[in-house]
Amino acid sequence: MVVGAGLAGLLCATTLESRGYSVQVLEASDGVGGRVRTDVVDGYRCDRGFQLLNPAYPAIKRFIDVGALDLQAFGAGVAVAGQHPRGPGIRILGDPRRAPQLLLKTLSSGYLNPIELARLARWAAPALGSVSKLLAAADSGLAESLDRGKVTGRLRHEILQPFLTGVLAESDGSTSANFTRLLLRSFLLGTPGVPAQGMVALPAQLAARLITPVLLGVRVDEVRPGISGPKVRTEDGEFCAAAVVVAADPSSAAQLVPLAAPMMKGLRTYWFSMSTAPTASNLLHVDGRGPSSGPVVNTAVMSNAAPSYAPAGRHLVQATCLLSQDTEGSATAAEPAVREHLARIYGASTTDWDLLIRHDIQAALPQQLPPLAARRSVDLGSELFVAGDHRDTGSLQGALVSGRRAANAVSSVLRAGR
């Protein structure tokens, strides 16, 4: 039995079914996906929090039919708003390998300082080497690591840090440098995008492979060991299984099995609709002036990259902010402040934009502090197992890998008759 129909739980269940086991997945909510869901609001596709699928992730390549998702790619670069050496406005930096059309804008951005580029390249170089060697290397916090590598110029403070703030859901540089390099590796090797039907298409594809459909709306109140196998108690009754994999969100998992709940990081995402897009760009936009300039850590015109995200003739913009864990979100992340900041980023009025929905994801990503622990045990004993990105790395890659590892652990235990 699998508790939770997020990516980890679904891949665990499909793997076990493919090996001949009978599996029932229980999900408390009204749909599959866990944190990977999509709300359709007035014809707009609003993922629950800004999310991207990177086809370079090894687990995505191995377990997902990316072609069937009709992936809509974002541009291979970033648009940086701020006060630049050549005046205010937006400067573009693109990957010349994947976006040669952005080369002239990149060269004229004013950011290509040879010394800074060399230092950043030297710091990032381990990302393109052996993954096992990277994971085994000494680790430290991101800010400390960049300081040590003398990555201290405008490339860091106006581009890298603003970009990573949204990716890592933190602005203090506390995240593991090795984990950050792993993420940068995926960005260097692949161009992220979104499925045409929204990010929910990813878990929906996994759920469609199941022989036994997911039972939705079933909340699990207790999981405990039993003489003949673990017991799972719900409001509809009690189930007995040969093994139970708890693949619920980290907080819920910690309430069901003897597991310390990891610290989580939160994000708030606003979704706006409008008749005229503020830009024709399909790039991610950040503000190079830093956090003091406003609450938005990244924004993008989703409909420029994925036209299916908005009705014909309309456009959709996402704006993401950091969300404090001990409050409902600071006043600076309120809608008026967000609109004002977006107007400065895009250089366009936001007064006629319509707010479709706001997503507050208190537990968007698990903290990944140094030293990076990329593989935490999924076998808790007594035929109880756990899966989720908090057992691997905080990413789609980590969720899928943990689900596969949990399935492997269940198979080993059941074959051995423990």
Side-chain angles (χ1 to χ4, degrees):
M1 181 167 290
V2 175
V3 178
L7 293 181
L10 291 171
L11 185 60
C12 178
T14 58
T15 300
L16 289 171
E17 281 193 341
S18 71
R19 296 174 183 175
Y21 295 101
S22 176
V23 184
Q24 179 63 71
V25 181
L26 306 180
E27 169 58 43
S29 72
D30 61 355
V32 302
R35 281 170 277 163
V36 185
R37 297 283 299 274
T38 303
D39 292 326
V40 179
V41 183
D42 297 335
Y44 297 86
R45 300 187 186 279
C46 305
D47 296 323
R48 293 190 183 176
F50 176 55
Q51 304 178 45
L52 290 175
L53 190 158
N54 196 318
Y57 280 144
I60 294 291
K61 292 179 179 179
R62 183 177 180 186
F63 303 121
I64 301 299
D65 182 354
V66 176
L69 295 176
D70 189 15
L71 198 65
Q72 311 291 294
F74 277 71
V78 63
V80 185
Q83 183 66 41
H84 305 283
R86 302 182 184 181
I90 292 177
R91 297 293 182 265
I92 305 296
L93 279 88
D95 184 337
R97 303 167 303 153
R98 291 173 291 163
Q101 74 276 11
L102 300 179
L103 181 59
L104 289 180
K105 291 183 178 180
T106 300
L107 292 173
S108 62
S109 67
Y111 282 109
L112 302 187
N113 180 295
I115 294 177
E116 290 187 42
L117 283 171
R119 288 174 175 172
L120 180 58
R122 185 165 57 248
W123 177 86
L128 293 178
S130 164
V131 172
S132 59
K133 184 176 180 180
L134 173 60
L135 293 176
D139 197 10
S140 64
L142 174 61
E144 177 186 344
S145 177
L146 290 170
D147 287 342
R148 192 167 55 248
K150 298 183 179 179
V151 183
T152 57
R154 293 180 60 243
L155 270 177
R156 170 182 172 176
H157 294 291
E158 297 182 28
I159 299 173
L160 185 64
Q161 281 186 182
F163 171 74
L164 289 176
T165 295
V167 173
L168 302 175
E170 59 96 335
S171 60
D172 60 6
S174 60
T175 298
S176 155
N178 286 349
F179 173 67
T180 306
R181 288 187 176 103
L182 282 177
L183 288 181
L184 289 177
R185 174 188 179 90
S186 69
F187 281 108
L188 291 170
L189 296 179
T191 303
V194 291
Q197 300 304 305
M199 285 295 292
V200 73
L202 180 59
Q205 183 183 115
L206 291 173
R209 298 175 188 171
L210 287 169
I211 298 171
T212 303
V214 176
L215 283 181
L216 300 174
V218 179
R219 182 173 299 278
V220 173
D221 298 319
E222 182 184 26
V223 176
R224 68 182 190 278
I227 297 176
S228 58
K231 308 291 184 182
V232 176
R233 181 170 59 82
T234 75
E235 60 182 10
D236 298 323
E238 189 169 85
F239 300 85
C240 182
V244 173
V245 179
V246 176
D249 66 88
S251 176
S252 297
Q255 296 175 24
L256 296 175
V257 292
L259 189 71
M263 293 296 295
M264 302 294 289
K265 299 177 290 186
L267 293 169
R268 167 176 289 179
T269 300
Y270 289 85
W271 297 90
F272 296 99
S273 71
M274 67 286 303
S275 58
T276 302
T279 175
S281 171
N282 66 351
L283 296 174
L284 187 71
H285 285 61
V286 300
D287 194 332
R289 291 163 291 200
S292 62
S293 62
V296 177
V297 297
N298 65 51
T299 178
V301 182
M302 299 295 295
S303 48
N304 286 347
S308 58
Y309 268 54
R314 300 288 297 179
H315 297 277
L316 177 67
V317 166
Q318 73 81 17
T320 295
C321 314
L322 297 184
L323 183 62
S324 171
Q325 293 298 294
D326 55 3
T327 69
E328 290 298 321
S330 66
T332 57
E335 186 184 340
V338 169
R339 285 180 180 269
E340 182 181 345
H341 195 190
L342 288 171
R344 294 198 303 274
I345 290 175
Y346 287 114
S349 173
T350 63
T351 56
D352 62 345
W353 291 11
D354 296 321
L355 177 63
L356 295 169
I357 194 170
R358 188 190 85 190
H359 291 126
D360 286 0
I361 314 297
Q362 287 283 355
L365 290 169
Q367 281 189 344
Q368 303 275 203
L369 300 177
L372 178 63
R375 294 289 185 272
R376 295 176 175 85
S377 176
V378 296
D379 187 346
L380 303 179
S382 301
E383 286 72 49
L384 294 178
F385 304 83
V386 64
D389 62 353
H390 56 101
R391 309 311 295 168
D392 281 77
T393 55
S395 60
L396 299 179
Q397 165 76 11
L400 292 170
V401 169
S402 76
R404 184 72 169 193
R405 289 202 300 125
N408 291 341
V410 170
S411 296
S412 296
V413 166
L414 294 183
R415 285 199 305 267
R418 186 177 75 184

